[in-house]
Amino acid sequence: VADEGSDLNAFAGRYGILLEYVEAWSGKGADIYATVERAFEICEDEGYTEFAYDGDGLGAGTKGDARKLNEGREQRKEKAIDVRKFQGSAGVVDPDGKIPQFDGDDSRDKDERTNKDYFANAKAQAWWSLRMRFLRTYRAIVQGHPVGDPDALISISSKLPALSKLTIELSQPTYSENGAGKLLINKQPDGSKSPNLADSVMIAYAPTEPKRRGFFDLP
């Protein structure tokens, strides 16, 4: 989520493992409400029923704007769009779970550390999870390794107009460790520009807590 500055708003849409939509646009001459409104329009046009937003910084007010827009949808007898917050500064998802691993029996892939032991925050966990998707896909497609869980891979549509820019942005972030040995992500190394499209993709694929429903709940 961006405003009148040099950063851009960005939206990424996926269906399963397939990244099928990315768009970036300037926030100049508008406000955050207009940004959320545009996100709702994209969902309507592309058939998305939910989206996650960057809840740090300028995105903090997205929830309230989304509630107002959903109230309007309900008055028009339209289904509400599920809007949830991704907060990179927050704690990790599944703190006691093991950090993501490659498929296969390579001993170099074994790491018994938990998410809370390895990642400094949710942003580091999400970027690392995205990195692992690409590495698993590379190992499966290029190196012929068996695929344990197809849902843990990633596929990007070759028809994306911004594919070249997205590819550059995805390769930009670097990582390091803090004094406690936890992973940190630097998405703007050496004064580079903010990778807005890549950020939106990271949020789209970020780990989430499982949705819990009653056995007899209807969809």
Side-chain angles (χ1 to χ4, degrees):
V1 181
D3 59 0
E4 303 246 355
S6 59
D7 277 352
L8 299 176
N9 296 294
F11 188 104
R14 71 181 179 102
Y15 184 81
I17 67 170
L18 173 64
L19 178 66
E20 59 179 8
Y21 185 97
V22 290
E23 179 185 346
W25 67 96
S26 174
K28 292 184 178 180
D31 54 21
I32 302 301
Y33 185 87
T35 295
V36 182
E37 196 171 38
R38 176 59 186 144
F40 269 63
E41 291 173 356
I42 294 172
C43 288
E44 185 68 31
D45 292 343
E46 301 298 323
Y48 300 129
T49 59
E50 62 181 276
F51 70 85
Y53 66 92
D54 185 351
D56 286 320
L58 293 171
T62 298
K63 183 178 181 179
D65 292 339
R67 177 179 54 78
K68 293 178 183 178
L69 288 167
N70 270 327
E71 287 174 353
R73 292 179 65 86
E74 291 171 359
Q75 291 174 1
R76 297 190 300 270
K77 307 300 182 182
E78 298 172 352
K79 188 175 181 180
I81 293 175
D82 184 16
V83 179
R84 58 182 173 81
K85 177 171 65 175
F86 170 81
Q87 193 162 8
S89 60
V92 299
V93 173
D94 188 19
D96 295 319
K98 297 293 189 299
I99 64 175
Q101 302 294 314
F102 288 120
D103 300 318
D105 297 323
D106 193 328
S107 60
R108 293 173 297 176
D109 301 339
K110 303 302 180 184
D111 195 323
E112 294 301 317
R113 286 175 291 181
T114 62
N115 291 318
K116 66 182 179 184
D117 293 331
Y118 190 62
F119 301 112
N121 50 34
K123 180 178 77 171
Q125 182 185 28
W127 272 109
W128 191 260
S129 176
L130 183 61
R131 177 181 187 266
M132 293 295 289
R133 283 184 178 272
F134 279 105
L135 285 173
R136 289 192 194 98
T137 304
Y138 174 82
R139 284 168 63 115
I141 301 300
V142 178
Q143 298 180 338
H145 284 253
V147 177
D149 180 10
D151 291 336
L153 305 179
I154 187 169
S155 176
I156 300 180
S157 172
S158 60
K159 298 179 181 179
L160 294 181
L163 181 57
S164 296
K165 180 175 175 58
L166 174 63
T167 302
I168 293 171
E169 290 188 4
L170 285 170
S171 64
Q172 177 175 300
T174 60
Y175 68 91
S176 60
E177 291 184 353
N178 64 14
K182 294 186 178 183
L183 192 78
L184 293 170
I185 297 296
N186 180 12
K187 66 178 185 179
Q188 291 180 257
D190 302 324
S192 54
K193 294 182 179 180
S194 177
N196 303 298
L197 289 174
D199 257 340
S200 68
V201 173
M202 175 270 292
I203 293 174
Y205 286 89
T208 58
E209 297 288 356
K211 294 181 179 180
R212 302 183 186 279
R213 302 178 62 187
F215 185 77
F216 290 102
D217 287 353
L218 297 176

